[in-house]
């Protein structure tokens, strides 16, 4: 990094971790992906999670869009996602209570003319570009909350890889990992020796951005990287630092673009980290990696398996290290990070500002009321 | 269910769960099965449990009946059931301390003329029809506490299947599962579509009873069921609702009979759920399923493997669902059931009345005193 | 045991366990082995533990001796032992921060002329006879703290077996197990019937010693034992009780010698139990078992595999029983031992006196200060 950090630019992470960053809950008033569209077949229901809340996604066999219910029968709290989809309703597998799209209980098979019992909570749902999103926070805010742009999934000039898995750490470690490109050092085996140069940062409402360029200082360019850039670069300084990498946390999502001058990005990554457990110390990653198709038709498709293996190796290294960070947090009983990189200090502030402190509750879920049969 | 539930008949489960039903401890002042006779060979000892108490069962090689000791050597608390049976005593595997049937320490191999140390607690034991029972509560009550009738084990007109396994839930979920026959819905794949009709209930001291009849509304009668009833039924209403199923919780046991008119039951099930851990959130099931032998000799024996597989599948489905109920309890930190079926509301009351609140201790176990050597 | 225990000699273990022995922490102001030399290749680093403290051992490729650092990068707390050794320093795998032998941070690759951040804690290290020791307590005491004699590792008249593994119990159970030879009873299958005779004990500062002799009262002498003693013994009383076994806890180590009269010991065992987790309820055993070479050259080497298998079986039985003791402690929420053997009562006192109560902290670790770059 050529922009030297002076002593004055060093920030202790203490002020931020007065509230331990790893106890900050993700803000539920955003659209979060909870499943890939391909996971949910017509006429089926599957169970997913947001921060400890079990959510049943239901896709009616014909017509209707996906809907989302609290994944617990109002009767005995067993998962509705173990049940059966009938038309626009789902019937619990245990005693057959049925719930409609609105969350209302619409049938108890052994109940005569009685008043039907209370139903279950629902979640606003959107299905876009092969991802199913829910809005786990205050439903009244769902409509007006901006929906993210999902890389270049819909753009035929790009080919997009969908990836993701469970990572056993707080989502904040993921943001820090991606934004601090000095960790390029860790991927040396995969990438060769790449020296990052920090070009600058932006800080706005709900946003931190970091810009880097890179120069290869040793090792061979890996084939995966060559494919992304569509041509082989040599190691001369002339070619170094030509491409700019822009990493942005636009709360709660993260993006990474690589582009040369004003050209369209050669790579456009969108990624979200969705808390799974109530303590939010495990997250599920949903990533969309769009690569611009090079001039020669078909070459990207041909190379796709190599690119997939390459990115999987990178991602495995990242997963290992953030889980080791989380382990240290468990052992030390808190965050002891000594952060000196200003853009990461800003990112940490952002995550605290936009998230919720551990004690503070999300808007109380409201179950739909009982209705006369 | 034809007897409709009117709004007035609906009961909230809240009054009962003011004391959380899943924290109610089983009452130890009853006879509980802890092992099958076949598990304990002559001259051997095995370790069992009741609600967190480790219990060593000892069967002397010759003559004497089974006896039961606290399964911890008084010296260093290692299990006596790892030891060796010698005559009417068991010798600890570690340093060789020996205990008699009374729980007294009768030998420390390396102790000279000294006073022998304190012994270990004992439990009253009865071995009946292939089951070994202990009385984990106040030993003074053991003699006068009624001993259960064990299905038709001793009746040659019946063949009895012994079954059971560990189920990771509070015993109360087991009682509710069996008594609420509306969960027949869940076994549709195994049983075909069976519509239960609730015929009525009884509530007495230590007892709740529910009666049902059934009509097949679709699907084929499974072979297992045909075997139990000794004949094939057709689906016409004429034959429907002829057999009456009576399910009873006679605290702490449960029974299920199927009979036609005043005939002897075609099926007689006795079942007990024995808490294993101290919190009583795991139970071991001991079941005796007696099936009346049909007119043709040998046919039941021939069909036994099919019947076994059929009941195992049913039982597996039940185990899965009660463990899901228990999981919801863990996640929600308590019982949130919204029970509307009056007989189950009564059953829940019974289990609270007859059990012990979480804080209340069982009669303190008294170790047998030291005796002069 | 021929020296009878009279009632007066019986001691309750209660006074000692007023402070629960299993909560007493090992005293860190001693030299503890944390790895075998062969585990740490030149130019490599490995991660080890002492009582919850992660320790990175580093062996430079050329020249320098092993050094030990807190196994957490000062930056983001990931293990330094995942990093790379460069000369006399280790570089963190994540963002490349580097630390020298003194624990100082000597490089942050992307830091310009700024003040280098704080470094990490170090531990005094000694490497002797194939074992790497650290001093986890107050470093100022390291030089003057006596270093143990390691069996007969350096003596060519002996052949030494190195052994050890993780045992899931408090280290105190290990001391008691070895010193109470009445547990010979447990090894009957391996050793045949051996009757121990307690010959006496010593109690000094930091030391408890027990002496035994043995007579074979039944069974065949196992080959492993014959090898150790270099000759076959018969069972006559003439030969019984000729060899004296001396077991000593010289805090925090333990030794066991077998010798006849004033001859050099035929067997010399040195063993250390190193707490792994913070609660010290798991320990790693490092044992050195030196066997005197018998007159016929080569015979001991030939027999070595048998001896190894024999001692492994003994050790497996011991591990099982001490882990059962630990399990009882977990279940009962504390130590309920009823110890009657005076030498074990003395040993328990010693371990309490020399150790640290659970609440009391070890000398606070001091991280090396930042230094100008």
């Amino acid at each position: 990094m050529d922009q030297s950090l002076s002593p004055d630019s060093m920030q202790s992470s203490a002020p931020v971790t007065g509230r331990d960053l790893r106890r900050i809950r993700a803000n539920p008033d955003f659209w979060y992906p909870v499943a890939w569209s391909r996971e949910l077949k017509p006429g089926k229901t599957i169970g997913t999670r947001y921060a400890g809340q079990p959510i049943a996604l239901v896709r009616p066999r014909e017509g209707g869009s996906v809907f989302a219910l609290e994944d617990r029968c109002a009767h005995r709290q067993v998962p509705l996602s173990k049940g059966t989809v009938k038309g626009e309703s789902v019937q619990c597998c245990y005693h057959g209570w049925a719930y409609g799209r609105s969350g209302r209980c619409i049938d108890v098979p052994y109940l005569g003319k009685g008043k039907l019992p209370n139903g279950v909570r629902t979640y606003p749902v959107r299905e876009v570009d092969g991802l199913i999103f829910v809005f786990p926070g205050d439903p009244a805010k769902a409509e007006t909350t901006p929906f993210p742009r999902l890389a270049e999934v819909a753009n035929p000039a790009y080919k997009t890889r969908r990836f993701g898995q469970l990572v056993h750490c707080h989502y904040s470690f993921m943001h820090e990992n991606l934004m601090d490109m000095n960790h390029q050092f860790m991927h040396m085996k995969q990438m060769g020796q790449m020296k990052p140069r920090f070009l600058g940062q932006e800080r706005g409402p709900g946003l931190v951005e970091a810009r880097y360029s890179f120069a290869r200082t040793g090792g061979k360019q890996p084939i995966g990287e060559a494919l992304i850039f569509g041509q082989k670069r040599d190691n001369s300084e002339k070619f170094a630092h030509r491409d700019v990498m822009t990493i942005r946390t636009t709360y709660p999502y993260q993006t990474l673009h690589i582009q040369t001058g004003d050209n369209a990005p050669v790579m456009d990554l969108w990624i979200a980290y969705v808390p799974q457990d109530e303590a939010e110390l495990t997250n599920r990653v949903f990533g969309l990696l769009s690569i611009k198709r090079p001039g020669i038709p078909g070459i990207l498709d041909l190379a796709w398996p190599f690119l997939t293996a390459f990115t999987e190796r990178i991602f495995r290294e990242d997963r290992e290290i953030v889980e080791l960070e989380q382990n240290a947090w468990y052992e030390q009983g808190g965050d002891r990070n000594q952060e000196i990189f200003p853009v990461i200090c800003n990112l940490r502030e952002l995550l605290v500002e936009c998230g919720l402190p551990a004690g503070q509750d999300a808007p109380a879920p409201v179950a739909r009321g009982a209705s006369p049969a």
Side-chain angles (χ1 to χ4, degrees), chain A residues 19-56:
Chain A
R19 282 172 176 179
D20 189 326
L21 176 56
R22 317 309 171 189
R23 295 191 190 276
I24 298 292
R25 295 165 44 217
N27 191 329
D29 284 337
F30 287 91
W31 288 97
Y32 287 92
V34 289
W36 300 102
S37 295
R38 60 171 181 250
E39 294 178 81
L40 183 57
K41 308 290 180 214
K44 297 290 177 190
T45 168
I46 57 169
T48 64
R49 300 231 146 210
Y50 175 85
Q53 300 170 45
I55 300 172

Tab-separated table of all heavy atoms in Angstrom, chain A residues 19-56:
chain	number	residue	atom	x	y	z
A	19	ARG	N	-19.180	-1.006	22.133
A	19	ARG	CA	-20.202	-1.962	21.756
A	19	ARG	C	-19.496	-3.013	20.898
A	19	ARG	O	-19.063	-2.723	19.786
A	19	ARG	CB	-21.238	-1.307	20.865
A	19	ARG	CG	-22.238	-0.452	21.611
A	19	ARG	CD	-23.041	0.256	20.573
A	19	ARG	NE	-24.104	1.039	21.163
A	19	ARG	CZ	-24.938	1.767	20.436
A	19	ARG	NH1	-24.819	1.786	19.118
A	19	ARG	NH2	-25.890	2.462	21.025
A	20	ASP	N	-19.408	-4.210	21.395
A	20	ASP	CA	-18.699	-5.255	20.658
A	20	ASP	C	-19.373	-5.464	19.299
A	20	ASP	O	-20.539	-5.820	19.215
A	20	ASP	CB	-18.730	-6.546	21.482
A	20	ASP	CG	-17.839	-7.626	20.903
A	20	ASP	OD1	-17.721	-7.704	19.663
A	20	ASP	OD2	-17.254	-8.376	21.694
A	21	LEU	N	-18.591	-5.240	18.255
A	21	LEU	CA	-19.126	-5.347	16.896
A	21	LEU	C	-19.767	-6.703	16.628
A	21	LEU	O	-20.734	-6.809	15.884
A	21	LEU	CB	-17.982	-5.093	15.894
A	21	LEU	CG	-18.297	-5.255	14.408
A	21	LEU	CD1	-19.454	-4.376	13.972
A	21	LEU	CD2	-17.059	-4.952	13.565
A	22	ARG	N	-19.202	-7.737	17.281
A	22	ARG	CA	-19.711	-9.101	17.003
A	22	ARG	C	-21.011	-9.395	17.738
A	22	ARG	O	-21.519	-10.511	17.693
A	22	ARG	CB	-18.669	-10.157	17.346
A	22	ARG	CG	-17.254	-9.852	16.924
A	22	ARG	CD	-17.088	-9.454	15.479
A	22	ARG	NE	-15.709	-8.967	15.242
A	22	ARG	CZ	-15.315	-8.400	14.133
A	22	ARG	NH1	-16.142	-8.170	13.133
A	22	ARG	NH2	-14.068	-7.991	13.996
A	23	ARG	N	-21.483	-8.412	18.496
A	23	ARG	CA	-22.791	-8.573	19.139
A	23	ARG	C	-23.844	-7.696	18.474
A	23	ARG	O	-25.008	-7.706	18.865
A	23	ARG	CB	-22.702	-8.222	20.623
A	23	ARG	CG	-21.824	-9.160	21.411
A	23	ARG	CD	-21.986	-8.924	22.914
A	23	ARG	NE	-20.986	-9.635	23.674
A	23	ARG	CZ	-21.081	-10.917	24.028
A	23	ARG	NH1	-22.149	-11.611	23.706
A	23	ARG	NH2	-20.112	-11.503	24.708
A	24	ILE	N	-23.416	-6.913	17.498
A	24	ILE	CA	-24.357	-6.061	16.779
A	24	ILE	C	-25.190	-6.933	15.845
A	24	ILE	O	-24.657	-7.693	15.039
A	24	ILE	CB	-23.607	-4.979	15.970
A	24	ILE	CG1	-22.806	-4.067	16.896
A	24	ILE	CG2	-24.572	-4.180	15.085
A	24	ILE	CD1	-23.642	-3.181	17.795
A	25	ARG	N	-26.506	-6.810	15.978
A	25	ARG	CA	-27.384	-7.611	15.132
A	25	ARG	C	-27.614	-6.913	13.791
A	25	ARG	O	-27.687	-5.680	13.720
A	25	ARG	CB	-28.711	-7.850	15.842
A	25	ARG	CG	-28.543	-8.702	17.107
A	25	ARG	CD	-29.752	-8.649	17.989
A	25	ARG	NE	-30.949	-8.773	17.165
A	25	ARG	CZ	-32.086	-8.135	17.364
A	25	ARG	NH1	-32.199	-7.312	18.395
A	25	ARG	NH2	-33.098	-8.291	16.559
A	26	ALA	N	-27.712	-7.716	12.761
A	26	ALA	CA	-28.030	-7.149	11.454
A	26	ALA	C	-29.393	-6.475	11.534
A	26	ALA	O	-30.291	-6.938	12.245
A	26	ALA	CB	-28.044	-8.245	10.394
A	27	ASN	N	-29.549	-5.375	10.816
A	27	ASN	CA	-30.822	-4.652	10.818
A	27	ASN	C	-31.832	-5.402	9.950
A	27	ASN	O	-31.610	-5.599	8.754
A	27	ASN	CB	-30.581	-3.248	10.270
A	27	ASN	CG	-31.774	-2.354	10.491
A	27	ASN	OD1	-32.913	-2.816	10.497
A	27	ASN	ND2	-31.513	-1.072	10.680
A	28	PRO	N	-32.957	-5.828	10.562
A	28	PRO	CA	-33.905	-6.660	9.797
A	28	PRO	C	-34.751	-5.864	8.805
A	28	PRO	O	-35.470	-6.471	8.009
A	28	PRO	CB	-34.780	-7.280	10.896
A	28	PRO	CG	-34.731	-6.300	12.020
A	28	PRO	CD	-33.379	-5.630	11.950
A	29	ASP	N	-34.659	-4.542	8.830
A	29	ASP	CA	-35.476	-3.727	7.929
A	29	ASP	C	-34.837	-3.594	6.548
A	29	ASP	O	-34.707	-2.478	6.008
A	29	ASP	CB	-35.751	-2.354	8.562
A	29	ASP	CG	-36.803	-2.431	9.663
A	29	ASP	OD1	-37.618	-3.388	9.647
A	29	ASP	OD2	-36.802	-1.563	10.548
A	30	PHE	N	-34.412	-4.703	6.011
A	30	PHE	CA	-33.868	-4.771	4.648
A	30	PHE	C	-34.343	-6.070	4.005
A	30	PHE	O	-34.833	-6.971	4.701
A	30	PHE	CB	-32.329	-4.727	4.679
A	30	PHE	CG	-31.778	-3.372	5.012
A	30	PHE	CD1	-31.517	-3.021	6.331
A	30	PHE	CD2	-31.558	-2.429	4.012
A	30	PHE	CE1	-31.039	-1.754	6.645
A	30	PHE	CE2	-31.066	-1.167	4.321
A	30	PHE	CZ	-30.810	-0.820	5.633
A	31	TRP	N	-34.201	-6.128	2.714
A	31	TRP	CA	-34.523	-7.354	1.995
A	31	TRP	C	-33.338	-8.316	2.063
A	31	TRP	O	-32.237	-7.953	1.643
A	31	TRP	CB	-34.851	-7.044	0.525
A	31	TRP	CG	-36.178	-6.354	0.358
A	31	TRP	CD1	-36.386	-5.016	0.233
A	31	TRP	CD2	-37.463	-6.973	0.314
A	31	TRP	NE1	-37.725	-4.745	0.115
A	31	TRP	CE2	-38.421	-5.943	0.155
A	31	TRP	CE3	-37.914	-8.298	0.387
A	31	TRP	CZ2	-39.784	-6.192	0.066
A	31	TRP	CZ3	-39.271	-8.549	0.307
A	31	TRP	CH2	-40.193	-7.501	0.146
A	32	TYR	N	-33.570	-9.498	2.598
A	32	TYR	CA	-32.504	-10.497	2.715
A	32	TYR	C	-32.847	-11.727	1.885
A	32	TYR	O	-33.960	-12.249	1.976
A	32	TYR	CB	-32.315	-10.927	4.176
A	32	TYR	CG	-31.647	-9.879	5.028
A	32	TYR	CD1	-32.387	-8.931	5.740
A	32	TYR	CD2	-30.257	-9.834	5.129
A	32	TYR	CE1	-31.764	-7.959	6.521
A	32	TYR	CE2	-29.631	-8.863	5.909
A	32	TYR	CZ	-30.389	-7.930	6.600
A	32	TYR	OH	-29.761	-6.978	7.360
A	33	PRO	N	-31.876	-12.228	1.120
A	33	PRO	CA	-32.111	-13.499	0.429
A	33	PRO	C	-32.127	-14.633	1.464
A	33	PRO	O	-31.331	-14.621	2.401
A	33	PRO	CB	-30.908	-13.636	-0.501
A	33	PRO	CG	-29.829	-12.834	0.151
A	33	PRO	CD	-30.512	-11.710	0.895
A	34	VAL	N	-33.045	-15.572	1.287
A	34	VAL	CA	-33.059	-16.726	2.195
A	34	VAL	C	-33.008	-18.063	1.454
A	34	VAL	O	-32.820	-19.105	2.078
A	34	VAL	CB	-34.278	-16.711	3.147
A	34	VAL	CG1	-34.138	-15.603	4.190
A	34	VAL	CG2	-35.588	-16.552	2.382
A	35	ALA	N	-33.185	-18.032	0.140
A	35	ALA	CA	-33.105	-19.288	-0.622
A	35	ALA	C	-32.889	-18.974	-2.097
A	35	ALA	O	-33.222	-17.883	-2.581
A	35	ALA	CB	-34.371	-20.117	-0.444
A	36	TRP	N	-32.327	-19.942	-2.802
A	36	TRP	CA	-32.259	-19.876	-4.251
A	36	TRP	C	-33.590	-20.365	-4.810
A	36	TRP	O	-34.179	-21.318	-4.269
A	36	TRP	CB	-31.144	-20.780	-4.780
A	36	TRP	CG	-29.791	-20.417	-4.258
A	36	TRP	CD1	-29.116	-21.049	-3.268
A	36	TRP	CD2	-28.968	-19.329	-4.694
A	36	TRP	NE1	-27.912	-20.425	-3.045
A	36	TRP	CE2	-27.790	-19.367	-3.909
A	36	TRP	CE3	-29.100	-18.328	-5.656
A	36	TRP	CZ2	-26.758	-18.441	-4.062
A	36	TRP	CZ3	-28.072	-17.417	-5.814
A	36	TRP	CH2	-26.924	-17.461	-5.029
A	37	SER	N	-34.050	-19.746	-5.867
A	37	SER	CA	-35.324	-20.158	-6.474
A	37	SER	C	-35.353	-21.647	-6.790
A	37	SER	O	-36.361	-22.320	-6.604
A	37	SER	CB	-35.564	-19.372	-7.769
A	37	SER	OG	-35.737	-18.013	-7.484
A	38	ARG	N	-34.215	-22.175	-7.244
A	38	ARG	CA	-34.194	-23.577	-7.670
A	38	ARG	C	-34.386	-24.544	-6.504
A	38	ARG	O	-34.671	-25.717	-6.706
A	38	ARG	CB	-32.885	-23.893	-8.408
A	38	ARG	CG	-31.664	-23.676	-7.573
A	38	ARG	CD	-30.366	-24.177	-8.206
A	38	ARG	NE	-29.277	-23.937	-7.280
A	38	ARG	CZ	-28.305	-23.045	-7.450
A	38	ARG	NH1	-28.258	-22.319	-8.554
A	38	ARG	NH2	-27.362	-22.876	-6.539
A	39	GLU	N	-34.219	-24.049	-5.284
A	39	GLU	CA	-34.421	-24.923	-4.125
A	39	GLU	C	-35.896	-25.201	-3.859
A	39	GLU	O	-36.221	-26.145	-3.136
A	39	GLU	CB	-33.827	-24.291	-2.860
A	39	GLU	CG	-32.319	-24.133	-2.860
A	39	GLU	CD	-31.841	-23.453	-1.566
A	39	GLU	OE1	-31.721	-24.149	-0.547
A	39	GLU	OE2	-31.600	-22.220	-1.584
A	40	LEU	N	-36.764	-24.356	-4.369
A	40	LEU	CA	-38.191	-24.441	-4.033
A	40	LEU	C	-39.021	-24.799	-5.271
A	40	LEU	O	-39.325	-23.945	-6.105
A	40	LEU	CB	-38.658	-23.099	-3.453
A	40	LEU	CG	-40.108	-23.011	-2.976
A	40	LEU	CD1	-40.419	-24.064	-1.920
A	40	LEU	CD2	-40.418	-21.614	-2.430
A	41	LYS	N	-39.403	-26.064	-5.362
A	41	LYS	CA	-40.159	-26.548	-6.516
A	41	LYS	C	-41.638	-26.172	-6.382
A	41	LYS	O	-42.131	-25.996	-5.257
A	41	LYS	CB	-40.053	-28.080	-6.613
A	41	LYS	CG	-38.636	-28.636	-6.579
A	41	LYS	CD	-37.865	-28.321	-7.851
A	41	LYS	CE	-36.444	-28.885	-7.794
A	41	LYS	NZ	-35.478	-28.007	-8.490
A	42	PRO	N	-42.349	-26.089	-7.508
A	42	PRO	CA	-43.793	-25.799	-7.435
A	42	PRO	C	-44.520	-26.852	-6.590
A	42	PRO	O	-44.205	-28.041	-6.668
A	42	PRO	CB	-44.240	-25.887	-8.900
A	42	PRO	CG	-42.999	-25.689	-9.705
A	42	PRO	CD	-41.879	-26.240	-8.901
A	43	GLY	N	-45.462	-26.381	-5.792
A	43	GLY	CA	-46.231	-27.294	-4.947
A	43	GLY	C	-45.482	-27.774	-3.728
A	43	GLY	O	-45.891	-28.727	-3.074
A	44	LYS	N	-44.350	-27.099	-3.421
A	44	LYS	CA	-43.533	-27.539	-2.277
A	44	LYS	C	-43.309	-26.404	-1.290
A	44	LYS	O	-43.539	-25.236	-1.596
A	44	LYS	CB	-42.169	-28.048	-2.757
A	44	LYS	CG	-42.232	-29.264	-3.661
A	44	LYS	CD	-42.651	-30.512	-2.898
A	44	LYS	CE	-42.776	-31.706	-3.836
A	44	LYS	NZ	-43.412	-32.850	-3.173
A	45	THR	N	-42.839	-26.782	-0.116
A	45	THR	CA	-42.456	-25.796	0.895
A	45	THR	C	-41.107	-26.204	1.476
A	45	THR	O	-40.813	-27.393	1.592
A	45	THR	CB	-43.536	-25.687	2.000
A	45	THR	OG1	-43.009	-24.926	3.096
A	45	THR	CG2	-43.978	-27.043	2.512
A	46	ILE	N	-40.266	-25.214	1.763
A	46	ILE	CA	-38.973	-25.502	2.395
A	46	ILE	C	-38.786	-24.578	3.595
A	46	ILE	O	-39.367	-23.501	3.670
A	46	ILE	CB	-37.766	-25.322	1.445
A	46	ILE	CG1	-37.735	-23.898	0.855
A	46	ILE	CG2	-37.761	-26.366	0.334
A	46	ILE	CD1	-36.426	-23.577	0.127
A	47	GLY	N	-37.956	-25.031	4.525
A	47	GLY	CA	-37.673	-24.253	5.726
A	47	GLY	C	-36.369	-23.485	5.577
A	47	GLY	O	-35.367	-24.043	5.142
A	48	THR	N	-36.405	-22.197	5.904
A	48	THR	CA	-35.186	-21.383	5.891
A	48	THR	C	-35.136	-20.624	7.219
A	48	THR	O	-35.979	-20.831	8.084
A	48	THR	CB	-35.200	-20.373	4.728
A	48	THR	OG1	-36.279	-19.455	4.943
A	48	THR	CG2	-35.392	-21.068	3.392
A	49	ARG	N	-34.148	-19.731	7.359
A	49	ARG	CA	-33.968	-19.022	8.627
A	49	ARG	C	-33.525	-17.590	8.385
A	49	ARG	O	-32.785	-17.305	7.451
A	49	ARG	CB	-32.857	-19.666	9.459
A	49	ARG	CG	-33.056	-21.082	9.832
A	49	ARG	CD	-32.853	-21.288	11.330
A	49	ARG	NE	-33.754	-22.327	11.765
A	49	ARG	CZ	-34.286	-22.411	12.958
A	49	ARG	NH1	-33.998	-21.517	13.885
A	49	ARG	NH2	-35.119	-23.374	13.261
A	50	TYR	N	-33.940	-16.709	9.270
A	50	TYR	CA	-33.286	-15.407	9.406
A	50	TYR	C	-33.068	-15.155	10.899
A	50	TYR	O	-34.060	-15.038	11.648
A	50	TYR	CB	-34.111	-14.271	8.786
A	50	TYR	CG	-33.454	-12.933	9.050
A	50	TYR	CD1	-32.452	-12.463	8.217
A	50	TYR	CD2	-33.785	-12.195	10.175
A	50	TYR	CE1	-31.798	-11.280	8.493
A	50	TYR	CE2	-33.127	-11.002	10.464
A	50	TYR	CZ	-32.130	-10.553	9.620
A	50	TYR	OH	-31.460	-9.388	9.906
A	51	ALA	N	-31.837	-15.101	11.315
A	51	ALA	CA	-31.490	-14.733	12.694
A	51	ALA	C	-32.337	-15.470	13.729
A	51	ALA	O	-32.897	-14.853	14.634
A	51	ALA	CB	-31.616	-13.215	12.870
A	52	GLY	N	-32.425	-16.774	13.574
A	52	GLY	CA	-33.141	-17.570	14.562
A	52	GLY	C	-34.622	-17.723	14.283
A	52	GLY	O	-35.290	-18.531	14.920
A	53	GLN	N	-35.154	-16.922	13.365
A	53	GLN	CA	-36.572	-17.061	13.016
A	53	GLN	C	-36.715	-18.100	11.911
A	53	GLN	O	-36.188	-17.913	10.827
A	53	GLN	CB	-37.141	-15.735	12.516
A	53	GLN	CG	-37.067	-14.593	13.510
A	53	GLN	CD	-37.414	-13.250	12.872
A	53	GLN	OE1	-38.379	-13.132	12.124
A	53	GLN	NE2	-36.612	-12.247	13.164
A	54	PRO	N	-37.454	-19.184	12.181
A	54	PRO	CA	-37.676	-20.171	11.130
A	54	PRO	C	-38.740	-19.659	10.163
A	54	PRO	O	-39.775	-19.130	10.593
A	54	PRO	CB	-38.156	-21.397	11.896
A	54	PRO	CG	-38.754	-20.871	13.155
A	54	PRO	CD	-38.076	-19.553	13.459
A	55	ILE	N	-38.463	-19.763	8.885
A	55	ILE	CA	-39.362	-19.228	7.865
A	55	ILE	C	-39.669	-20.324	6.846
A	55	ILE	O	-38.757	-20.905	6.264
A	55	ILE	CB	-38.714	-18.022	7.140
A	55	ILE	CG1	-38.405	-16.910	8.154
A	55	ILE	CG2	-39.606	-17.503	6.016
A	55	ILE	CD1	-37.590	-15.755	7.589
A	56	ALA	N	-40.964	-20.615	6.670
A	56	ALA	CA	-41.383	-21.577	5.644
A	56	ALA	C	-41.674	-20.815	4.358
A	56	ALA	O	-42.504	-19.896	4.344
A	56	ALA	CB	-42.630	-22.332	6.096
